[in-house]
Amino acid sequence: MKSTIALTAVAALAAKASASCFAERMGYPCCSGNEVVYTDDDGKWGVENGNWCGIADEPVYESCWSESQGYPCCSSPNAEVWYTDESGKWGVENGDWCGIPKGTPTPIDDEPYEISGNPFKGVEFYINPYYVDEVDGAIAQMTDSSLIAKAEKMKTFSNAIWLDTIKNMQSWLETNLQGAQSQHQSSGKDILTVFVVYDLPGRDCHALASNGELLANDGDLARYKSEYIDVIEGHLKKYNTQPVVLIVEPDSLANLVTNLESTPACADSEKYYLEGHAYLIKKFGVLPHVAMYLDIGHAFWLGWDDNREKAGKVYAKVISSGSPGKVRGFTDNVSNYTPWEDPTLSRGPETEWNPCPDEKRYLEAMHKDFKAAGIQSVYFVCDTSRNGKKVDRKHPGEWCNQTGVGVGARPKASPVSGMDYLDAFYWIKPLGESDGTSDENAVRYDGYCGHETAMKPAPEAGQWFQKHFEQGIKNANPPL
């Protein structure tokens, strides 16, 4: 019977060991997994969330009953039960069945979680199992041992889970909330999961490569509310013992700042962008364990003085429309390549007189302007998944599958001293997933994906792009 039950990637990560380990007395945490990266006289070491952690010896229970049937025992009596038969209860670890020890489970505090301050601080970041699976597929295509080693490290870092269609939301939201809850119950740690809410009617009105499934009309707005936002709300309310961050609708509001007059599709979408945001802020912004960040494009979209001033008014209006819901802050550089710091650039002809030619200067300016616009909570999450190296683009507005890509700073809370309003560096756009197809005959072909500095041939947006991934890990800064 067990062999006929489908195992998901989430199930493979569901049960984690909860034993203490040698590393704690040395100031390092214990690993929640068991992948060995390094061994010394103290013991076995792994890497999680970009930090060293100690791997505890496997707990031993007197009743490791499943070994007689050819299966190992699970690492904890708290493991999630996936199947029960006459032998006992079965769980899943490392993609294989394991027997849950017949010990007494450790009680876990399952009180509702309430975010106070920076949601990225003091928690463990959830590892996206879908991305781990994608990277494993990429590794299977590699022969260079040094490149494989870099790719293996990519699996130890957290990135966002994109809910980019109603179907994908139904498949990925609850399973990953369950995965985070199971990891919490077996490890005792608070587990932060990051999702991208991304299915507005008329989505990405100024681009073609990432247009969505819902059109800019009243009927699809009703679907967005009832089939997408309401369903997400229901799952978030059900799984309320762990913190959740929502990255809200990349590119949408930034388009309302700059593209209403030049792009008819954006003018047609304005009503639905505004109503959609008001609705979701009211729904999600009252949940104590959820923090939301609205997207503000990037430095070479809204960085100019007049754009930032207009953005302050637009975002203040949108946030007010969602009252009593609250918004924690804003996210920048999503799916983009602008470096965090670029000291070679200044305000001048090369930057079209943009006073914010990198993301650091952009956020410094946005913090002042948004505060001046009356926005109360102004905190930022910068996407560093692909901005470790200055790419080959000839104009900073280039955005599609840029050559010269390098993965950037690792996900980390409060990463920059003196910028207390920067909540985190985080990988929102998973490196290796395409920005858009370079096939000129494709329905979703966007001219930017055919530009000179866009890597070609490229698959459809969201599909795996092996060459782009390999270049990104080769050019990683800091190195992998």
Side-chain angles (χ1 to χ4, degrees):
M1 173 65 75
K2 294 187 294 299
S3 62
T4 67
I5 300 176
L7 302 183
T8 66
V10 173
L13 299 177
K16 300 287 187 177
S18 60
S20 60
C21 67
F22 68 91
E24 290 182 334
R25 68 176 182 269
M26 303 171 67
Y28 294 93
C30 294
C31 298
S32 59
N34 57 10
E35 183 177 353
V36 178
V37 176
Y38 178 68
T39 301
D40 61 14
D41 293 339
D42 295 303
K44 298 175 181 177
W45 296 86
V47 175
E48 291 180 351
N49 298 325
N51 295 313
W52 288 105
C53 58
I55 298 173
D57 291 334
E58 289 293 325
V60 178
Y61 299 93
E62 292 183 1
S63 57
C64 197
W65 52 270
S66 58
E67 289 185 341
S68 63
Q69 301 185 40
Y71 296 94
C73 259
C74 301
S75 59
S76 169
N78 290 330
E80 183 177 0
V81 178
W82 284 83
Y83 179 65
T84 301
D85 61 14
E86 64 279 0
S87 301
K89 296 177 180 178
W90 296 86
V92 175
E93 288 186 353
N94 302 317
D96 295 320
W97 289 104
C98 58
I100 297 177
K102 297 175 181 178
T104 302
T106 304
I108 296 294
D109 179 10
D110 276 331
E111 291 295 316
Y113 190 95
E114 184 171 350
I115 292 174
S116 177
N118 183 354
F120 290 86
K121 203 165 186 177
V123 298
E124 184 171 294
F125 299 165
Y126 181 73
I127 302 298
N128 179 355
Y130 178 77
Y131 188 69
V132 171
D133 190 51
E134 285 188 309
V135 173
D136 280 336
I139 290 172
Q141 302 179 53
M142 298 177 183
T143 56
D144 185 328
S145 60
S146 64
L147 197 62
I148 290 173
K150 295 178 188 294
E152 288 285 355
K153 292 180 182 178
M154 291 291 290
K155 298 190 296 183
T156 67
F157 298 104
S158 179
N159 55 31
I161 299 163
W162 287 64
L163 310 177
D164 56 349
T165 64
I166 292 172
K167 180 180 178 181
N168 285 343
M169 178 273 294
Q170 293 169 336
S171 299
W172 296 343
L173 177 61
E174 185 171 23
T175 54
N176 286 291
L177 290 172
Q178 286 176 339
Q181 179 173 280
S182 296
Q183 189 173 333
H184 162 68
Q185 290 174 337
S186 60
S187 70
K189 300 175 183 178
D190 293 319
I191 310 299
L192 173 68
T193 312
V194 179
F195 296 97
V196 181
V197 177
Y198 188 56
D199 203 25
L200 270 174
R203 188 182 77 191
D204 279 8
C205 59
H206 191 63
L208 296 175
S210 46
N211 286 168
E213 63 183 350
L214 301 178
L215 304 179
N217 60 53
D218 291 349
D220 277 3
L221 177 63
R223 289 192 64 198
Y224 178 74
K225 292 178 178 180
S226 64
E227 298 180 36
Y228 185 72
I229 297 300
D230 288 355
V231 177
I232 294 174
E233 177 197 25
H235 288 310
L236 292 177
K237 285 182 174 179
K238 179 180 178 182
Y239 297 92
N240 66 351
T241 63
Q242 296 303 291
V244 172
V245 159
L246 300 179
I247 306 300
V248 176
E249 298 293 353
D251 295 348
S252 57
L253 296 181
N255 271 314
L256 298 191
V257 175
T258 62
N259 293 319
L260 285 181
E261 296 179 0
S262 62
T263 307
C266 291
D268 293 341
S269 300
E270 180 182 16
K271 168 188 174 182
Y272 305 106
Y273 284 14
L274 294 176
E275 287 193 27
H277 275 82
Y279 189 79
L280 68 87
I281 292 171
K282 289 176 182 177
K283 291 282 188 175
F284 305 148
V286 297
L287 303 178
H289 69 298
V290 174
M292 281 190 294
Y293 296 82
L294 308 183
D295 183 66
I296 56 169
H298 53 84
F300 279 95
W301 190 342
L302 301 182
W304 288 267
D305 295 343
D306 54 344
N307 285 348
R308 297 197 321 273
E309 180 182 3
K310 186 176 180 181
K313 297 175 182 177
V314 170
Y315 285 82
K317 177 183 177 182
V318 167
I319 293 170
S320 176
S321 73
S323 180
K326 304 294 183 183
V327 171
R328 169 68 182 178
F330 309 90
T331 185
D332 68 294
N333 209 38
V334 174
S335 301
N336 208 264
Y337 302 84
T338 310
W340 172 246
E341 287 187 278
D342 189 352
T344 66
L345 293 179
S346 60
R347 188 172 191 167
E350 187 178 359
T351 61
E352 297 183 358
W353 303 99
N354 186 349
C356 306
D358 57 34
E359 293 304 306
K360 183 178 181 182
R361 280 177 277 188
Y362 177 52
L363 295 190
E364 288 171 341
M366 276 298 211
H367 184 258
K368 295 177 182 177
D369 292 340
F370 276 16
K371 282 290 187 179
I375 300 174
Q376 297 298 312
S377 185
V378 185
Y379 297 90
F380 300 100
V381 177
C382 181
D383 187 355
T384 57
S385 61
R386 306 189 298 177
N387 73 343
K389 181 178 179 291
K390 193 172 182 179
V391 294
D392 298 338
R393 57 188 180 184
K394 295 183 177 180
H395 185 277
E398 301 277 358
W399 55 266
C400 191
N401 298 320
Q402 293 300 287
T403 56
V405 62
V407 69
R410 313 302 181 248
K412 183 180 180 182
S414 305
V416 178
S417 176
M419 291 185 73
D420 57 357
Y421 51 86
L422 179 63
D423 279 350
F425 286 152
Y426 192 77
W427 291 355
I428 298 173
K429 170 74 172 186
L431 176 71
E433 294 185 3
S434 175
D435 294 324
T437 180
S438 58
D439 179 2
E440 296 182 13
N441 297 315
V443 174
R444 286 156 57 96
Y445 172 72
D446 190 295
Y448 276 94
C449 299
H451 284 193
E452 181 182 350
T453 60
M455 189 179 290
K456 297 178 279 290
E460 290 280 2
Q463 294 182 6
W464 189 255
F465 194 174
Q466 182 77 10
K467 185 177 178 182
H468 204 243
F469 174 74
E470 292 185 8
Q471 187 173 84
I473 60 177
K474 285 178 182 177
N475 291 335
N477 180 31
L480 287 165

